[in-house]
Amino acid sequence: MLLNILYIVLGAVVVLWGADKMTDGAVVVARRLNIPPLIIGLTVLAIGTSMPEFFVSLLSAIKQTPDMAVGNVVGSNIINILLVGGASACVAPLLVQRATLVRNMPILVVATALLVVLSIDGNLSRWDCLALFAGFLLFMVYTVRSAKGAKPTEELKSKNYSLALAIGFIVLGLACLVVGSNVFVNGASALAGSLGVSEAVIGLTIVAGGTSMPELATSMVAARKGQNDIAIGNIIGSNIFNILMALGLTGLISPMQIKGITPVDFAMMGVSVLLLWAFTFSKRTLERWEGAVLVAICAGYLWYLVAGA
């Protein structure tokens, strides 16, 4: 048990360090290539921080534990918005671009609704996951095209790294995020498994929390550094990629039957998306008190899962 706790702490440290280095590198790349920070958050950071969800879901599906595979994505998306978004807003209020509200948030709503509809029959077939992965490809094309001619909405503050060194920091940061998250999840899963908790609950809580650590670290670091576009873009982009890429590609390789993920879990995933949209729609800012509300809801949901287990 002490060894597993050590793995959890070590994984957390590696993830936090990797997130800091990756954020620095991404900001330098955005500045030197004149790429809007939001696009960096929606693509490079979002894909990178979604890698733990993808690998955990893929291995879980291959090992015939689909509840953990799907629970990992559903739980991660809930935690990304409620905990990651809420905690980041508590660090510093997050200003949200109008383009994010009218373009990217609706895409997240549609992706979330599509996953819920496809999961109603308790099965994610290859055809279902092909639809999800096709959505991912369309989203990537749309994101790249929307970046053409776009200008940064906030001044980028970054260290004077060379482009090569900045890219190296991104790669190193991503590696630390993946390795650190895997160490964390392995320790946490072993610790929870010894308590006899179901695969679905482990996926929705311990595994989802562990694989969401890159998003938490990256967004909180970006918020602290005043990079709002990266902070909010990382959250929205990661949730879209979790559904369309992680589950889509995983299901193409290994179709999944869903048993332990309840309608309450899917409903909470949908409600969290709508809450984030509602909070940011009027003033285009996620205030500190709104972030605190999101964190409180996350705590209540996790308590519900643990109490039910």
Side-chain angles (χ1 to χ4, degrees):
M1 182 174 292
L2 290 177
L3 184 60
N4 289 327
I5 294 175
L6 178 61
Y7 285 153
I8 293 173
V9 174
L10 178 62
V13 171
V14 173
V15 164
L16 289 170
W17 188 86
D20 187 63
K21 291 301 179 184
M22 189 173 67
T23 300
D24 284 342
V27 171
V28 171
V29 170
R31 186 192 67 181
R32 291 184 176 272
L33 300 184
N34 198 30
I35 298 174
L38 178 62
I39 302 302
I40 293 292
L42 285 168
T43 55
V44 176
L45 297 186
I47 292 178
T49 55
S50 290
M51 283 296 101
E53 282 89 346
F54 169 65
F55 283 113
V56 169
S57 293
L58 177 61
L59 292 176
S60 297
I62 292 176
K63 293 179 180 179
Q64 300 302 310
T65 55
D67 280 348
M68 185 175 292
V70 180
N72 174 39
V73 168
V74 173
S76 291
N77 279 20
I78 294 171
I79 291 174
N80 281 349
I81 292 178
L82 298 182
L83 180 59
V84 177
S88 299
C90 289
V91 171
L94 299 179
L95 178 65
V96 184
Q97 286 192 40
R98 183 177 180 276
T100 301
L101 295 175
V102 301
R103 296 177 185 175
N104 300 310
M105 279 299 300
I107 293 175
L108 177 56
V109 171
V110 171
T112 302
L114 180 60
L115 175 59
V116 172
V117 171
L118 294 177
S119 302
I120 289 177
D121 61 357
N123 179 62
L124 283 177
S125 66
R126 281 195 171 90
W127 286 109
D128 293 336
C129 294
L130 178 61
L132 293 176
F133 192 67
F136 162 71
L137 296 178
L138 290 174
F139 174 68
M140 288 300 297
V141 171
Y142 171 78
T143 300
V144 172
R145 287 185 176 180
S146 67
K148 293 182 178 180
K151 296 181 180 180
T153 59
E154 56 189 30
E155 183 180 354
L156 290 175
K157 299 177 182 179
S158 60
K159 298 179 181 179
N160 192 26
Y161 296 141
S162 66
L163 182 59
L165 184 58
I167 294 174
F169 276 142
I170 292 176
V171 174
L172 178 62
L174 289 175
C176 289
L177 287 169
V178 173
V179 173
S181 294
N182 285 336
V183 172
F184 176 91
V185 170
N186 288 338
S189 297
L191 191 63
S194 65
L195 302 176
V197 181
S198 70
E199 292 175 1
V201 173
I202 291 177
L204 287 165
T205 55
I206 301 296
V207 176
T211 55
S212 288
M213 284 190 65
E215 286 86 350
L216 176 62
T218 301
S219 290
M220 289 189 68
V221 168
R224 178 174 58 83
K225 295 182 177 181
Q227 302 297 335
N228 294 330
D229 286 345
I230 288 181
I232 198 70
N234 176 52
I235 294 168
I236 296 174
S238 291
N239 278 23
I240 293 173
F241 288 135
N242 285 348
I243 294 174
L244 300 181
M245 184 190 73
L247 272 186
L249 192 53
T250 294
L252 285 174
I253 297 172
S254 179
M256 294 166 283
Q257 289 186 341
I258 308 169
K259 297 179 181 179
I261 313 301
T262 69
V264 173
D265 303 317
F266 283 113
M268 181 57 67
M269 180 176 62
V271 168
S272 64
V273 173
L274 296 178
L275 270 177
L276 178 63
W277 201 4
F279 279 162
T280 56
F281 189 79
S282 57
K283 297 181 179 179
R284 287 170 44 193
T285 302
L286 188 62
E287 302 285 356
R288 279 192 171 93
W289 73 267
E290 293 170 330
V293 170
L294 294 179
V295 172
I297 294 174
C298 181
Y301 172 67
L302 293 177
W303 177 86
Y304 160 81
L305 290 176
V306 173

